[in-house]
Amino acid sequence: MGGRSGLPVRVLWMLHAFLDLAGSQEIYAPGVPGTPCGDIKKENGIHRLEAMMYALDQINGDDELLPNVTLGARILDTCSRDTYALEQSLTFVQALIQKDTSDVRCTNGEPPVFVKPEKVVGVIGASASSVSIMVANILRLFQIPQISYASTAPELSDDRRYDFFSRVVPPDSFQAQAMVDIVKTMGWNYVSTVASEGSYGEKGVDAFMQLSREAGGICIAQSLKIPHDHKSSDFDKIIRQLLDTRYARAVILFASDEDIRGILNASKRADQVGHFLWIGSDSWGAKNSPIQHLEDAAVGAITILPKRATISGFDAYFTSRTLENNRRNVWFAEYWEENFNCKLMSSSKKDESSRKCTGQERIGIDSKYEQEGKVQFVIDAVYAMAHALHNMQRDMCPENSGICPEMEIAGGKKLLKYIRSVSFNGSAGTSVTFNRNGDAPGRYDLFQYQWNNVTGLGYRMIGQWTETLQLHEDMQWPRGEQEIPTSVCSLPCKTGERKKVVKGMPCCWHCEPCDGYQFQPDEFTCKLCSYNMRPSANRTFCQPIPIIKLEWHSPWAVIPVFLAMLGIIATIFVMATFIRYNDTPIVRASGRELSYVLLTGIFLCYIITFLMIAKPDVGVCSFRRIFLGLGMCISYAALLTKTNRIYRIFEQGKKSVTPPRLISPTSQLAITSSLISVQLLGVLIWFGVDPPNTIIDYDEQKTLNPDLARGVLKCDITDLQIICSLGYSILLMVTCTVYAIKTRGVPENFNEAKPIGFTMYTTCIVWLAFIPIFFGTAQSAEKLYIQTTTLTISMNLSASVALGMLYMPKVYVIIFHPELNVQKRKRSFKAVVTAATMSSRLSHKASDRPNGEAKTELCENVDPSSKYLTPRKWALKRQRMNW
């Protein structure tokens, strides 16, 4: 056979290859119905075929690799049809099929001589995954190893079904993982998928959907399939379906060249250029054929291509091919016509108007040339087979330079073992290895179709994927968008809004605000803060509700405090005046003992204002309980004792001239003290049953707006307890009012009966106004302020009314008219009673006995502060009354 490099022996092995392309990787495109093949593919078919021839030339010219062994090839076209490829693959196994020729004879009776086909040791190809699957099922039966340079369907990784299949490109599961990483990096969670019918497209999309489910956070809006025998209307329908979910702008494409063109064309017809964000698989890669004349529709598309490099040696080889030096390629003449748009022979498919080919045309000079993307992998696949054969020869034939008998009978299973264990630097300088399933490691380059001011539209590398994603930042988007476009079912919820996920679509949700006192512990939940907490401004956590109390500088406190201070000053002034003029007739006529008791009660009524506004603590709360009703109780107990005394005196006078019992000052003080002791006893019981304490009331000012919520620091005293504490005093007040009404007819203002009456009427009006205000504001957010202010002002007014009506006229006379503060003629009890019986027109006040003698006190029937009569006038008046 001739030798290599002077060696005496050359052995010819046949490596058979499929050069087809489900994604424009075949020599011929699929034909119209009825014909298996269509037009020739210039790049994906011829480039890859020539890449295999180039690799064989390089191997056969290498003295270090397979010395004394020459590799040959039988190349068949599959026209990208799995059924047609199956028919073609049968020629590979003919040498392994044993034929029974015992009953076959020639016409002369001799047995025939059959030319046995060359033995096939391995297959390079195919390109389309669907074709590789079909062929792999045949080859595994005859244990023929197969290495593909472009088939990426994930199911080919199943070592139990495709145990003799290997590939130098990573499976689509890696590519699908790269796509998932791209989608997540872009922040897209709502995407659609479009696949060409067949193993490559459908299995690629299945891998993407499976990985996206495992990764989480990605939802598939629609998963559409392009039928094998498609029409333009099919693509228009797909675009309409994609537009049904307009927010899913990102579209994953696992499709052939023709299908990609059909989709881009349909998007132009629908006037949706720039709407979709295409993510193309390696079938799109960095090729121009899918986007020719559709460049505007492809701007912004992100495509994936197994990491590759331009093989400069192949460029020099291919551009030097001519019709003269490349006769071994039976399809080259047809490629020549297509590439230079000329006609070579009469049987050409070119029309008659085409110019004649001269044969002097040159590739890359007279036509555009760019190395096809899978050339590197075709070369690596051939080299992988060659390295496996080389290692096998080295191990099995150590003594022979060539093929030994052991190697002849070794079989495909032995060769497969060597294929799976090869490791060498490929044509691009990257390592070529296989895992246990026969897959190459995942290494991808990522491209984006962009506009460049210098070169115009073209592919630009934007990153790579080798187990993890690395993206550059120089990316462009359609429609001049500066930020990364969105492809989401629902926009992110604002802070403080929870996601209510749509059933079955975890990427679609409705945003519901966490309202009221709810906070957001996670993006899907709203929870109520505890009773003493409120949500923060962004509702991401709870924070303590501010604690408030009635401050001294508050307008609600300033007015009561001002009135109380005026009242205290006035009370001290009156008390000081009475003490200073303690023995004067007016002071003695007023009943000094009960007057001082009454002034003490009035003073305490004013003092309670400060206790109600002071910061609550146990001491303040204790004093509030004691003095809340004590001041009023002392005041009205004294007034009730006075009015009761007047009433008993005049009722007794109607029956007898004998004075009633218990009208002495000591008796009056005893009665008053007994009435006061009831209040004190009630307070002591209150202390024992419910000890005083402070609380923080979070319900009082828990407004609808949590920002306005406040906790109120206050004493542990309920509204009902306040009313109960004041109830006894109100009872005394009402009883006193009744007696005031009964004694309204006493003449000469006897012992202050009418001023006491006016005082009680006014006080009743004040407290009748207090009750609806106090309870009507129980649900108000301003309850603390309104109720405290109402209560203190009511007590201040009650004290002021008593102080003003009962004591201010006396003080006025004592200070400004001392001449009226003189002793009057005394009358007997009988005379006084007779005068009261004869006349109901004159009013007079009751006064206490100045010296403990009932008869003497009653003689002083005229209060100088109210009726100032001279002796002469008094005598005249007596005559008119028939004294």
Side-chain angles (χ1 to χ4, degrees):
M1 284 191 180
R4 185 199 300 185
S5 302
L7 295 177
V9 180
R10 291 183 67 199
V11 179
L12 176 65
W13 275 27
M14 298 302 295
L15 285 179
H16 296 266
F18 287 153
L19 294 181
D20 59 357
L21 179 63
S24 295
Q25 297 175 7
E26 63 284 335
I27 296 175
Y28 286 104
V32 297
T35 60
C37 301
D39 296 331
I40 194 170
K41 290 294 184 181
K42 295 192 302 177
E43 298 173 355
N44 300 346
I46 299 301
H47 280 212
R48 296 176 185 179
L49 184 153
E50 290 295 341
M52 182 173 185
M53 304 303 294
Y54 168 77
L56 290 173
D57 291 345
Q58 295 295 112
I59 293 169
N60 291 332
D62 188 346
D63 294 332
E64 301 296 327
L65 185 61
L66 283 176
N68 295 323
V69 177
T70 300
L71 296 179
R74 178 186 298 174
I75 301 175
L76 301 175
D77 181 22
T78 64
C79 300
S80 192
R81 289 184 181 273
D82 49 6
T83 54
Y84 186 69
L86 179 61
E87 298 173 10
Q88 297 287 66
S89 66
L90 294 176
T91 63
F92 296 154
V93 299
Q94 289 179 3
L96 302 176
I97 299 176
Q98 298 295 328
K99 298 179 181 179
D100 183 10
T101 60
S102 58
D103 58 345
V104 179
R105 291 292 184 271
C106 296
T107 54
N108 58 2
E110 296 292 327
V113 177
F114 289 97
V115 180
K116 190 173 183 180
E118 297 88 350
K119 181 181 178 181
V120 175
V121 296
V123 174
I124 304 298
S127 175
S129 294
S130 58
V131 174
S132 288
I133 289 171
M134 185 69 76
V135 173
N137 286 318
I138 295 296
L139 297 181
R140 71 184 297 268
L141 299 176
F142 298 93
Q143 297 186 348
I144 300 176
Q146 176 186 2
I147 302 178
S148 173
Y149 53 83
S151 297
T152 57
E155 64 180 298
L156 287 167
S157 297
D158 188 353
D159 193 44
R160 295 171 298 176
R161 295 179 57 193
Y162 307 104
D163 45 346
F164 281 83
F165 178 84
S166 304
R167 48 188 165 190
V168 292
V169 290
D172 284 340
S173 56
F174 292 164
Q175 182 177 196
Q177 183 62 60
M179 289 180 163
V180 169
D181 290 347
I182 291 171
V183 169
K184 292 185 76 69
T185 301
M186 296 299 173
W188 301 334
N189 64 10
Y190 196 49
V191 301
S192 297
T193 64
V194 177
S196 292
E197 185 177 18
S199 295
Y200 172 77
E202 294 178 41
K203 298 299 182 182
V205 164
D206 288 345
F208 175 84
M209 295 174 67
Q210 175 65 28
L211 290 170
S212 65
R213 282 193 294 268
E214 293 174 1
I218 300 177
C219 296
I220 307 300
Q222 298 191 69
S223 187
L224 306 176
K225 184 167 63 175
I226 303 171
H228 188 72
D229 298 321
H230 51 70
K231 302 181 289 292
S232 295
S233 59
D234 294 324
F235 295 109
D236 294 333
K237 180 181 178 181
I238 288 174
I239 293 297
R240 287 196 300 271
Q241 289 176 306
L242 292 175
L243 290 174
D244 288 340
T245 51
R246 294 191 64 86
Y247 293 117
R249 294 180 61 186
V251 180
I252 307 298
L253 283 175
F254 277 90
S256 64
D257 283 13
E258 290 81 10
D259 292 346
I260 294 170
R261 288 186 61 82
I263 289 291
L264 295 179
N265 249 322
S267 70
K268 288 192 70 172
R269 289 195 295 270
D271 195 24
Q272 295 298 323
V273 171
H275 174 75
F276 297 107
L277 307 168
W278 310 109
I279 303 177
S281 64
D282 61 346
S283 62
W284 185 337
K287 294 182 293 191
N288 290 317
S289 55
I291 61 173
Q292 191 172 9
H293 307 305
L294 298 170
E295 290 82 359
D296 54 340
V299 171
I302 298 174
T303 60
I304 296 178
L305 189 64
K307 198 169 186 64
R308 65 182 179 90
T310 300
I311 311 304
S312 57
F314 176 78
D315 288 342
Y317 163 81
F318 190 77
T319 54
S320 66
R321 297 299 90 191
T322 65
L323 294 173
E324 296 299 324
N325 62 17
N326 199 25
R327 294 184 182 275
R328 63 182 178 178
N329 184 345
V330 297
W331 294 284
F332 195 70
E334 189 173 350
Y335 165 79
W336 196 270
E337 289 183 326
E338 188 68 26
N339 189 51
F340 295 107
N341 195 24
C342 60
K343 185 176 181 181
L344 277 175
M345 57 196 104
S346 58
S347 61
S348 172
K349 296 180 181 178
K350 290 288 181 181
D351 55 46
E352 295 299 329
S353 61
S354 299
R355 68 178 182 85
K356 298 291 184 181
C357 298
T358 63
Q360 301 301 313
E361 296 88 357
R362 290 295 177 264
I363 299 173
I365 298 176
D366 299 311
S367 65
K368 185 178 179 181
Y369 167 74
E370 183 179 356
Q371 188 178 123
E372 198 275 329
K374 292 292 194 298
V375 165
Q376 167 197 338
F377 302 106
V378 175
I379 296 172
D380 288 346
V382 177
Y383 265 89
M385 187 71 76
H387 278 282
L389 290 169
H390 177 83
N391 295 337
M392 185 178 179
Q393 180 201 34
R394 182 191 59 202
D395 294 344
M396 301 186 70
C397 309
E399 303 298 331
N400 296 2
S401 60
I403 304 301
C404 62
E406 291 82 358
M407 191 172 177
E408 287 278 5
I409 63 173
K413 186 172 290 187
K414 191 74 173 178
L415 178 57
L416 177 65
K417 177 183 176 183
Y418 282 95
I419 290 175
R420 295 289 174 85
S421 61
V422 298
S423 179
F424 63 95
N425 286 330
S427 55
T430 56
S431 64
V432 177
T433 58
F434 300 99
N435 63 16
R436 60 184 300 273
N437 296 324
D439 296 329
R443 292 188 293 260
Y444 294 96
D445 286 329
L446 307 180
F447 297 88
Q448 188 180 41
Y449 197 68
Q450 299 181 353
W451 170 263
N452 185 286
N453 292 330
V454 178
T455 60
L457 288 170
Y459 292 100
R460 179 173 182 176
M461 185 182 294
I462 59 170
Q464 57 186 359
W465 189 91
T466 51
E467 303 299 331
T468 57
L469 178 66
Q470 298 93 37
L471 271 181
H472 306 156
E473 295 184 359
D474 50 349
M475 302 181 71
Q476 293 181 8
W477 303 105
R479 299 178 176 176
E481 296 176 75
Q482 299 299 316
E483 301 294 329
I484 297 176
T486 59
S487 182
V488 295
C489 180
S490 302
L491 294 175
C493 292
K494 299 176 183 177
T495 303
E497 293 181 340
R498 76 177 185 96
K499 294 180 180 178
K500 185 178 181 181
V501 179
V502 177
K503 187 175 181 180
M505 291 295 288
C507 302
C508 300
W509 56 79
H510 303 295
C511 295
E512 294 184 346
C514 295
D515 53 9
Y517 288 81
Q518 295 177 328
F519 75 104
Q520 188 179 15
D522 56 64
E523 60 181 347
F524 300 103
T525 311
C526 290
K527 286 186 177 180
L528 276 174
C529 293
S530 57
Y531 76 98
N532 61 339
M533 307 285 276
R534 67 177 182 180
S536 61
N538 57 9
R539 293 186 178 271
T540 55
F541 62 92
C542 291
Q543 59 188 7
I545 294 177
I547 308 301
I548 63 167
K549 65 180 186 65
L550 185 57
E551 300 292 343
W552 293 102
H553 56 76
S554 170
W556 297 96
V558 169
I559 295 175
V561 168
F562 178 73
L563 294 176
M565 291 180 67
L566 290 179
I568 290 172
I569 293 171
T571 303
I572 293 174
F573 178 75
V574 170
M575 191 173 292
T577 302
F578 267 50
I579 293 173
R580 170 70 178 79
Y581 298 96
N582 187 57
D583 292 325
T584 60
I586 290 180
V587 175
R588 284 186 300 160
S590 298
R592 288 173 295 185
E593 293 80 3
L594 286 183
S595 290
Y596 291 133
V597 172
L598 179 56
L599 287 172
T600 301
I602 293 173
F603 181 80
L604 292 179
C605 287
Y606 287 125
I607 287 295
I608 193 63
T609 297
F610 300 94
L611 291 174
M612 297 299 294
I613 297 174
K615 181 179 180 180
D617 56 33
V618 175
V620 170
C621 293
S622 300
F623 282 115
R624 280 190 189 180
R625 291 190 179 190
I626 295 171
F627 293 111
L628 179 62
L630 185 59
M632 290 179 59
C633 177
I634 293 173
S635 300
Y636 298 127
L639 287 176
L640 176 60
T641 303
K642 277 192 174 187
T643 54
N644 174 264
R645 174 174 172 272
I646 296 171
Y647 174 77
R648 287 188 296 115
I649 288 174
F650 285 96
E651 286 297 313
Q652 180 69 19
K654 294 178 182 179
K655 304 173 185 177
S656 168
V657 296
T658 305
R661 294 182 304 162
L662 302 177
I663 61 175
S664 67
T666 303
S667 301
Q668 297 294 292
L669 287 176
I671 294 172
T672 302
S673 298
S674 63
L675 293 175
I676 295 172
S677 64
V678 175
Q679 175 74 20
L680 293 175
L681 179 62
V683 171
L684 289 176
I685 295 174
W686 187 8
F687 270 75
V689 174
D690 184 15
N693 194 13
T694 59
I695 61 169
I696 299 176
D697 189 348
Y698 291 98
D699 295 326
E700 183 173 313
Q701 291 202 26
K702 208 157 196 177
T703 57
L704 294 177
N705 183 358
D707 293 337
L708 303 178
R710 298 293 184 270
V712 180
L713 176 63
K714 62 182 184 179
C715 292
D716 189 12
I717 303 175
T718 64
D719 294 347
L720 180 60
Q721 289 172 333
I722 291 175
I723 295 302
C724 290
S725 179
L726 296 174
Y728 179 64
S729 300
I730 294 174
L731 176 63
L732 294 177
M733 178 185 70
V734 172
T735 307
C736 185
T737 304
V738 172
Y739 278 112
I741 293 173
K742 288 183 176 183
T743 59
R744 68 185 182 277
V746 176
E748 298 295 338
N749 289 341
F750 188 85
N751 268 10
E752 306 169 311
K754 286 191 175 179
I756 291 176
F758 290 138
T759 299
M760 300 317 300
Y761 306 151
T762 307
T763 303
C764 287
I765 294 173
V766 170
W767 287 98
L768 285 174
F770 161 79
I771 291 176
I773 296 175
F774 187 85
F775 287 102
T777 58
Q779 304 301 321
S780 171
E782 304 291 335
K783 173 184 174 182
L784 168 69
Y785 308 117
I786 297 175
Q787 290 191 344
T788 302
T789 302
T790 303
L791 177 60
T792 53
I793 288 180
S794 297
M795 298 188 76
N796 287 338
L797 290 177
S798 299
S800 299
V801 168
L803 186 67
M805 290 191 174
L806 298 179
Y807 292 102
M808 285 305 172
K810 295 179 175 62
V811 172
Y812 175 79
V813 171
I814 290 172
I815 295 176
F816 296 103
H817 297 281
E819 70 277 6
L820 299 179
N821 190 10
V822 294
Q823 183 72 34
K824 302 298 180 183
R825 184 176 61 86
K826 297 180 180 179
R827 291 183 294 169
S828 66
F829 177 75
K830 179 179 179 181
V832 173
V833 171
T834 302
T837 304
M838 294 176 62
S839 175
S840 61
R841 294 175 299 148
L842 301 176
S843 62
H844 46 80
K845 292 183 179 178
S847 61
D848 295 334
R849 296 182 301 276
N851 52 11
E853 293 296 330
K855 183 176 180 180
T856 303
E857 181 188 12
L858 289 172
C859 290
E860 296 177 3
N861 65 319
V862 180
D863 188 347
S865 65
S866 54
K867 294 295 182 178
Y868 314 118
L869 301 179
T870 64
R872 177 179 177 79
K873 290 182 178 179
W874 178 250
L876 293 175
K877 188 171 184 179
R878 286 179 60 193
Q879 292 178 2
R880 289 197 300 269
M881 296 173 64
N882 298 319
W883 280 56

